[in-house]
């Protein structure tokens, strides 16, 4: 059997090819926009969100082509959020995955518009002829709820507050549930959707929510831990930046060992949630891989 | 019969109330986002795009509640584009409709996120339970195409080029067709959609496209003319700013009288396009009103 890392790499290549195809039409009149969008979108990355959509699709016998495109729509939303987060008026980051950030290469105006375009095109992809009409309303609702003011953007607002004031633990949880958790949950629900699962009463839907919320939170706990003890070259940004900036993180409330134990418990809860299903192995392996990753 | 201005004012009040309702849920955790979004969204404005959706809906016996919400989604997209356009890294404008721009009041980070949130929430509104499922895929396609890289954002990219180099007349036309024309066309098509009209072969669909493209272009020609000869207090920004910045406008290619004649001819073509239909009067009156407006 393939390791989780091999599976991720295998799917990431297919996801990259599809993202390339879906953004090829943006061209001619405004080559800079085309280049800027693709510079950030096709820059590697683990593609965890599309992978989750595909893995839930496979576990529940869904339509893989649908899961792929909905997963790509989500990856476009994820990428737009990174471009805007890196802007000077936001986190003012010059490096992302070891490369200069979008605005450093293309300027702030084009970076702003590229983010706007990626968010808009995500909805175009999710409403294309490749997605059955009956699924489109559900897909758009999942995407817009996860990315909007009550999801990712709301989390970003709390995160901004956390840079100047200390957050309570519950607020930190809420921030992560919205800022990154919402898109991870959306990924799993879009995988369910590709198998026609839309009811909140369906045990498969509930398992997807539980799995997503647990690995989403574990991912953030490990992120904070890596920021404190990871290898700068491996994670592609300076170690200790959170502590230096006085930002509230999980390490404000626990030490690095406690953080690992917390993430391990969450990972176990995620694995338990999908225990009843056959073909769950890739999702179990992913959860373990995310727990023990070094970047 | 009411004048076009009275009709606009009458509908604008109902549109404002609906926009208020549709954004009231954004609250509590991040009051600044709530306030920032509503500061720009509920700040008056002519509401031409929702008005067009409603007028086409009425002319073709559509569902007014559907046209209202789809028109509001479009107004949210229009508002997001204004917030981002005004940012320091874009046009760097401090005033909009006589009020300080969003980033001046709330800061650049919140203004960026408010724009992002409005764009996202627009898709949420257009896929809500208030819109029949069968219409949602069409609505999302119309909105995302008009707002995306091949529509509004593509036009914005050409506009940025026009600030540093002289554009050809055809490029100027293409810039306006995308930057503002695409949303105006979308407004008319969403009105058609509320009446179940989705086929490009339908003469009502074709009339909507022709009307929209003509008044959209006339609107821009008059805008450029007002920038040169209008009243600063009436239009809410300094007169002559285009000429001063050396930007390519219609007045690069014609004088103010020729510009008026050009806009008048376009207005006549718009009126001709809807001549076959009963209940066309509000749309005829709107076209005339936009031609002879003073701000």
């Amino acid at each position: 059997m393939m390791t989780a890392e091999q599976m991720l790499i295998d799917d990431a290549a297919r996801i990259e090819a599809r993202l390339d195809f879906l953004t090829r039409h943006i061209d001619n009149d405004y080559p800079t926009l085309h280049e800027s969008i693709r510079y950030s979108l096709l820059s590697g990355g683990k593609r965890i969100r599309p992978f989750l959509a595909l893995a839930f699709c496979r576990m529940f016998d869904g339509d893989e082509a649908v899961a792929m495109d909905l997963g790509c729509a989500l990856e476009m939303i994820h990428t737009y959020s990174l471009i805007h987060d890196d802007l000077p008026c936001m986190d003012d980051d010059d490096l992302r995955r070891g490369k200069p950030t979008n605005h450093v290469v293309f300027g702030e105006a084009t970076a702003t518009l590229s983010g706007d375009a990626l968010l808009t095109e995500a909805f175009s992809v999710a409403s294309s002829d490749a997605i059955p009409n009956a699924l489109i309303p559900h897909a758009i609702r999942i995407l817009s709820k996860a990315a909007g003011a009550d999801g990712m953007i709301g989390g970003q607002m709390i995160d901004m507050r956390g840079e100047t004031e200390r957050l309570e633990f519950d607020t930190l949880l809420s921030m992560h549930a919205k800022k990154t958790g919402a898109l991870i949950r959306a990924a799993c629900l879009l995988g369910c959707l590709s198998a026609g699962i839309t009811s909140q009463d369906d045990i498969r839907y509930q398992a997807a929510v539980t799995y997503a919320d647990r690995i989403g939170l574990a991912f953030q706990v490990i992120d904070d831990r890596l920021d404190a003890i990871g290898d700068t070259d491996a994670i592609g940004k300076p170690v200790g930046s959170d502590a230096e900036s006085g930002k509230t993180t999980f390490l404000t409330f626990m030490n690095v060992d406690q953080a690992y134990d917390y993430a391990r418990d969450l990972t176990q809860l995620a694995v338990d949630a999908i225990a009843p299903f056959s073909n769950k192995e890739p999702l179990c392996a992913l959860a373990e891989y995310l727990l023990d990753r070094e970047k």
Side-chain angles (χ1 to χ4, degrees), chain A residues 63 66 70 123-141 193-194 196 198:
Chain A
D63 181 331
V66 169
L70 295 179
F123 289 102
S124 189
V125 167
S127 62
S128 82
D129 292 343
I131 314 293
N133 273 342
L135 301 185
I136 291 174
H138 297 284
I140 303 299
R141 284 173 205 145
L193 180 62
S194 74
T198 58

Side-chain angles (χ1 to χ4, degrees), chain A residues 221 225 256-266 291:
Chain A
V221 174
R225 185 171 175 273
V256 291
D257 292 333
Q258 289 167 326
Y260 183 82
D261 289 346
Y262 183 39
R264 195 192 53 211
D265 290 347
L266 288 164
L291 174 67

Side-chain angles (χ1 to χ4, degrees), chain A residues 44-224:
Chain A
K46 291 187 279 284
R47 313 295 185 197
I48 287 169
R49 293 157 195 80
F51 178 87
L52 284 168
L54 286 168
F56 270 90
C57 166
R58 289 165 188 152
M59 186 163 73
F60 295 146
D61 278 329
D63 181 331
E64 270 202 44
V66 169
M68 171 63 92
D69 277 12
L70 295 179
C72 284
L74 207 47
E75 190 71 8
M76 293 165 80
I77 291 176
H78 173 58
T79 303
Y80 117 76
S81 78
L82 299 181
I83 296 174
H84 280 193
D85 277 8
D86 287 338
L87 285 171
C89 70
M90 306 281 286
D91 290 351
D92 196 12
D93 279 322
D94 291 341
L95 280 180
R96 164 79 61 188
R97 294 172 187 155
K99 283 170 61 184
T101 45
N102 196 293
H103 64 90
V104 169
V105 179
F106 298 96
E108 285 180 55
T110 298
T112 303
L113 290 173
S114 294
D116 293 345
L118 274 167
L119 173 56
T120 312
E121 295 298 320
F123 289 102
S124 189
V125 167
S127 62
S128 82
D129 292 343
I131 314 293
N133 273 342
L135 301 185
I136 291 174
H138 297 284
I140 303 299
R141 284 173 205 145
I142 291 171
L143 289 170
S144 61
K145 190 181 167 198
D150 295 327
M152 185 175 70
I153 293 173
Q156 183 67 23
M157 288 299 294
I158 304 176
D159 195 22
M160 279 164 53
R161 229 171 66 205
E163 280 166 19
T164 54
E165 60 181 271
R166 185 184 151 132
L167 302 178
E168 298 294 317
F169 188 69
D170 281 355
T171 311
L172 183 71
L173 288 181
S174 167
M175 187 267 278
H176 286 306
K178 289 177 173 175
K179 192 182 172 191
T180 53
L183 284 202
I184 288 174
R185 185 196 276 210
C188 301
L189 292 182
L190 290 171
C192 290
L193 180 62
S194 74
I197 302 162
T198 58
S199 165
Q200 294 184 22
D201 299 328
D202 192 307
I203 56 158
R204 295 169 297 175
Y205 186 104
Q206 290 166 357
V209 167
T210 305
Y211 174 89
D213 291 354
R214 300 302 175 274
I215 66 155
L217 187 52
F219 187 88
Q220 288 307 319
V221 174
I222 294 298
D223 238 28
D224 287 351

